[in-house]
Amino acid sequence: MRVRDLPLADDLVAHYESAGIVELYPPQAAAVDAGVTRGENVVVAVPTASGKTFIAELAMLTSEGPALYIVPLRALAREKYETFSELPGVEVGISTGDLDSAEELGSYDIVVATAEKVDSAIRSGASWVDDLACVVVDEVHLLGSKGRGPTLEVTIATLGRRAPDVQVVALSATVDNPDEIADWLGAELVRSRWRPVDLRTGVYAEGRVDFDDGSTLAVAVDEDEENADTAATVELVRGAIDDGGQCLAFVRSRREAEALATRLSGEGIGTTDALAEEIREAGQADTGRRLAECVEGGVAFHHAGLRAEHRALVENAFRGRELKCICATPTLAAGVNVPARRVVIRDQKRYTGSGMEWLPVLEVHQMCGRAGRPHLDPYGEAVLVAGDEAGREELRERYVGAEPEAVESQLADREALRTHVLAIVASGFADSQRGVLDLLDATFYAHDRPEESLAGLVESVVADLVEWEMLTAETGENEASEGETEGGTNDGEAEGGNESGGTLAATALGEAVSRQYIAPQTGARIVGGIETMRGMESVTGLTALEVVCDTPDMHGTYLGNRERATMYQYARRHAAELTTDMGATDRFERWLESVKTARILLEWAEGASTEELVDEYRIGPGDLESRVERAQWLLGAAAAVADVVGGDGTAFREVRERLVPDLSDE
DNA sequence: GACGAAAGTGTTTAGACAGCATGTC
DNA sequence: CTAAACACTTTCGTC
């Protein structure tokens, strides 16, 4: 099947042909057969880099009306926005938390947005979603991710409800149960293992890589080396580069990514002084300096402690083949497109808080899938590094020959369900438990489960929201008995028969919480904080920051053992400014972490530089950046909540004003 | 008793979406 | 619960 045979305008055909796309890849042809160009729903489960974007473009370009492309990451949104912008005669808009198109989103042919942004737009009643003709969901397998999967499925379900005739195209990594996703969406499934570049996967142990295609590769590793895995990794990286390729190396922690990069940069791999200069200009913190030094040796490291700008510079330089190697934490596996000839996965376990755990098969496969640059490499190679022969066998069984995990809905998570139940009521999509359940019936969770399994959960979640005064529940028959707080939050305690008939309504607080896009629990914590602040003599910036940092929407900052004592003293010294009685809290550790975060942000607001804070509190510049960003959002939300509950939002507004994003430039 | 090496002990560890209101060559 | 690198401390051996 050729591009010119497709129902596309001449200038589009010319655009593709000039980019070298003439003949369709087999999965693309299969998607056309399945009806992507005829408005049919299609789920595409194929490996990375096998042309999913083109399939999405076909759907969006042939649909009669505007299209929406949903992505999981802001960096990905930008990448897709740029790609689609090159299409002739197509107006593209973008909408993420940090970037928004100037025009009303309804005026574009294609809008690229994060799932959260779409969810938020739906909640605030955006009308453009009703006119959509096509929705593409990139990386649908994220349906199974704990924090963000529920948002994705509720958003998809709601979109389907709002625009029943909309075409849904879902793009997935290869997972175990794409048929279930397809079934849920009423879609045709296109499933394939085809790749434009061959990929062979192997395991290294004791001087030799055994590939799954039967070939082997001898690797000369120095016997005296104290760490055999690292030595092998170094050799594998160097081998790929000597061969004219590029290489990605995945390790477990940030520190190890930096250590490996530093070591490789001394191996005479290449030089990229211009890039090093750009990196120095973009940030002078210690991390940035070390990165620049590595880059002078042709190698970079990449992890979330890096500033977003540094990350983007590294990714672009690698794509431009300026950089030969990136040593990364798993950040890179799911992010923007950075293909390499060889991928080396030195560590396959990760710390999780309760010991080391094997990485999910899906994640390892995604790392492996980065191997093989179309049109540049004759093949791609992925190598897992094992300690010994026993490890080789284990890795082969676990990853090389294994199917990835199935995608499972996470909607039953209490926290997630609270958020979405509140949103459904607050935005007027339902005014009873019955109505909420009706809407949730269209989710992936409900697809192959009896409806009752959600009913009990929804009921108990509604009880939470009523207790927090975000919802009111009026029962039709018996009069609402106020004050009976019913101490236990026990699930499914159906009192007085069928509650589902009652009327649900969002309070002003509930509406504010939903609109500000904060978790109900965060809202409750803020309300509690505002009430305590009323009786306090010294309400300061620290007070406001403590409240906001002590919520589930703000992540804590790691508290070292030695630091703990210092933080404790700090908290005691400032006890009069804090809303929490440290003797009474049952989550002392977690709270002390919040105080640390608040303290860092306060110093930032008072003009401390990135360098000072990174040094003093041992966090990466990227971590600081993301915390400042989140704090701004949460402080704004807290001020809005204060207005609604009749509190004083001044403290929140004042710090927020001083919390400027970045002073360190120039 | 001084010194340094070896063995023991404790610490640390990945990632990153959202609101809102303005200003800019 | 299933780890491993690293920093820091204590112990031990030698002269």
Side-chain angles (χ1 to χ4, degrees):
Chain A
M1 193 181 291
R2 291 175 306 171
V3 171
R4 58 178 57 223
D5 301 329
L6 297 169
L8 291 176
D10 290 344
D11 52 346
L12 285 167
V13 173
H15 169 80
Y16 286 121
E17 290 188 337
S18 73
I21 303 173
V22 177
E23 186 75 28
L24 267 61
Y25 289 157
Q28 295 168 340
V32 172
D33 288 339
V36 246
T37 57
R38 298 190 308 270
E40 301 289 332
N41 292 358
V42 179
V43 169
V44 182
V46 298
T48 356
S50 52
K52 276 188 278 209
T53 306
F54 181 67
I55 296 176
E57 288 176 2
L58 284 183
M60 298 191 294
L61 293 170
T62 54
S63 70
E64 279 164 22
L68 171 65
Y69 192 96
I70 301 178
V71 288
L73 297 169
R74 301 204 289 220
L76 229 39
R78 210 158 309 175
E79 188 185 58
K80 294 303 176 195
Y81 172 76
E82 277 160 23
T83 308
F84 299 152
S85 295
E86 283 169 16
L87 296 168
V90 177
E91 285 300 310
V92 187
I94 184 169
S95 181
T96 67
D98 60 345
L99 214 61
D100 243 312
S101 288
E103 308 284 318
E104 161 72 14
L105 290 172
S107 65
Y108 295 96
D109 302 311
I110 297 177
V111 171
V112 183
T114 53
E116 285 75 9
K117 194 70 182 188
V118 177
D119 184 27
S120 163
I122 292 172
R123 287 189 201 182
S124 45
S127 59
W128 57 271
V129 298
D130 296 320
D131 306 325
L132 289 173
C134 176
V135 173
V136 179
V137 186
D138 200 359
E139 318 274 353
V140 241
H141 54 272
L142 276 144
L143 233 29
S145 85
K146 200 144 190 68
R148 303 178 55 201
T151 307
L152 189 55
E153 63 174 297
V154 171
T155 303
I156 296 172
T158 315
L159 283 174
R161 232 7 114 87
R162 291 278 293 268
D165 295 327
V166 76
Q167 174 187 19
V168 179
V169 175
L171 312 175
S172 172
T174 42
V175 293
D176 195 48
N177 58 341
D179 46 321
E180 284 179 35
I181 299 175
D183 204 38
W184 167 49
L185 295 171
E188 193 80 16
L189 173 64
V190 174
R191 188 179 198 177
S192 161
R193 291 186 181 280
W194 185 91
R195 300 178 94 245
V197 185
D198 282 334
L199 172 67
R200 50 179 180 169
T201 307
V203 183
Y204 167 89
E206 300 180 359
R208 194 183 77 248
V209 182
D210 285 356
F211 284 103
D212 53 354
D213 64 357
S215 61
T216 61
L217 175 72
V219 182
V221 177
D222 190 349
E223 294 286 327
D224 309 328
E225 186 69 43
E226 78 290 350
N227 188 328
D229 289 1
T230 303
T233 306
V234 169
E235 286 311 313
L236 284 163
V237 169
R238 203 188 3 223
I241 291 162
D242 288 349
D243 214 33
Q246 288 172 286
C247 194
L248 293 177
F250 287 103
V251 293
R252 178 179 37 191
S253 68
R254 295 176 179 186
R255 197 171 51 187
E256 282 165 74
E258 296 188 20
L260 184 59
T262 307
R263 175 164 172 179
L264 281 163
S265 70
E267 299 269 327
I269 274 168
T271 44
T272 47
D273 291 345
L275 177 63
E277 204 41 54
E278 279 185 84
I279 287 169
R280 289 206 172 89
E281 274 168 29
Q284 277 300 315
D286 201 38
T287 318
R289 270 202 301 279
R290 284 201 304 275
L291 179 61
E293 273 167 38
C294 288
V295 161
E296 281 171 352
V299 186
F301 53 84
H302 187 286
H303 57 65
L306 287 184
R307 302 190 49 188
E309 200 178 342
H310 279 152
R311 270 194 266 176
L313 280 170
V314 167
E315 290 154 8
N316 289 333
F318 191 80
R319 261 184 305 209
R321 287 191 285 161
E322 211 178 321
L323 267 177
K324 296 296 180 207
C325 174
I326 301 180
C327 305
T329 55
T331 353
L332 211 54
V336 297
N337 185 31
V338 275
R341 173 171 302 178
R342 183 181 284 171
V343 169
V344 182
I345 304 170
R346 198 196 67 186
D347 303 323
Q348 299 88 27
K349 287 184 175 175
R350 179 199 300 149
Y351 177 82
T352 54
S354 58
M356 298 298 281
E357 269 175 19
W358 290 102
L359 293 174
V361 178
L362 177 61
E363 210 171 314
V364 171
H365 282 188
Q366 284 204 294
M367 293 178 187
C368 294
R370 298 261 118 132
R373 301 165 298 178
H375 313 302
L376 282 174
D377 294 322
Y379 52 84
E381 284 178 339
V383 181
L384 307 173
V385 177
D388 50 27
E389 286 300 330
R392 187 205 298 279
E393 222 20 72
E394 170 140 45
L395 289 184
R396 195 188 348 242
E397 266 179 43
R398 187 178 284 276
Y399 294 117
V400 182
E403 285 295 314
E405 294 82 4
V407 175
E408 267 182 82
S409 172
Q410 304 295 322
L411 189 62
D413 178 78
R414 206 185 171 81
E415 180 79 27
L417 204 55
R418 270 203 289 253
T419 302
H420 293 294
V421 168
L422 176 60
I424 287 169
V425 179
S427 44
F429 295 143
D431 59 2
S432 66
Q433 273 189 41
R434 175 82 264 138
V436 169
L437 282 168
D438 268 353
L439 256 166
L440 293 178
D441 197 41
T443 59
F444 183 50
Y445 180 91
H447 169 248
D448 56 357
R449 283 183 184 78
E451 194 186 292
E452 298 80 61
S453 61
L454 260 189
L457 258 171
V458 167
E459 184 169 338
S460 85
V461 156
V462 165
D464 289 347
L465 293 169
V466 169
E467 192 181 324
W468 290 339
E469 297 178 0
M470 294 176 193
L471 288 185
T472 55
E474 306 270 325
T475 32
E477 299 107 78
N478 38 338
E479 51 196 294
S481 47
E482 190 76 32
E484 191 200 352
T485 4
E486 187 206 331
T489 348
N490 295 337
D491 297 4
E493 204 187 328
E495 51 167 312
N498 189 7
E499 286 242 346
S500 312
T503 306
L504 294 177
T507 62
L509 171 62
E511 272 172 23
V513 165
S514 181
R515 205 174 41 243
Q516 295 294 323
Y517 213 81
I518 57 178
Q521 212 187 329
T522 296
R525 172 67 183 91
I526 290 173
V527 169
I530 291 168
E531 269 156 22
T532 313
M533 281 159 71
R534 260 199 267 267
M536 284 168 58
E537 304 217 332
S538 53
V539 170
T540 64
L542 183 63
T543 319
L545 284 167
E546 182 233 345
V547 170
V548 144
C549 291
D550 191 31
T551 63
D553 278 321
M554 175 66 91
H555 286 154
T557 310
Y558 185 80
L559 196 52
N561 249 11
R562 205 153 309 164
E563 233 176 343
R564 182 163 291 122
T566 326
M567 281 316 303
Y568 178 67
Q569 283 164 14
Y570 178 85
R572 283 183 59 142
R573 225 170 30 246
H574 293 86
E577 298 167 55
L578 300 174
T579 64
T580 306
D581 176 4
M582 71 178 99
T585 178
D586 50 344
R587 336 173 340 273
F588 185 75
E589 287 298 312
R590 179 78 179 77
W591 174 74
L592 209 55
E593 283 182 20
S594 312
V595 174
K596 174 175 175 179
T597 315
R599 183 181 182 178
I600 294 172
L601 289 169
L602 184 65
E603 285 188 30
W604 178 260
E606 285 166 351
S609 69
T610 311
E611 294 84 26
E612 286 167 328
L613 295 174
V614 162
D615 223 51
E616 175 76 23
Y617 298 103
R618 292 177 306 163
I619 57 167
D623 302 309
L624 182 59
E625 203 172 59
S626 73
R627 268 157 187 90
V628 170
E629 206 177 284
R630 288 170 87 98
Q632 286 199 306
W633 158 46
L634 289 170
L635 287 166
V641 166
D643 291 345
V644 162
V645 298
D648 185 3
T650 326
F652 298 113
R653 286 195 181 90
E654 275 179 6
V655 226
R656 187 170 179 275
E657 206 132 303
R658 286 185 285 146
L659 212 60
V660 273
D662 201 327
L663 306 164
S664 72
D665 275 350
E666 278 312 283

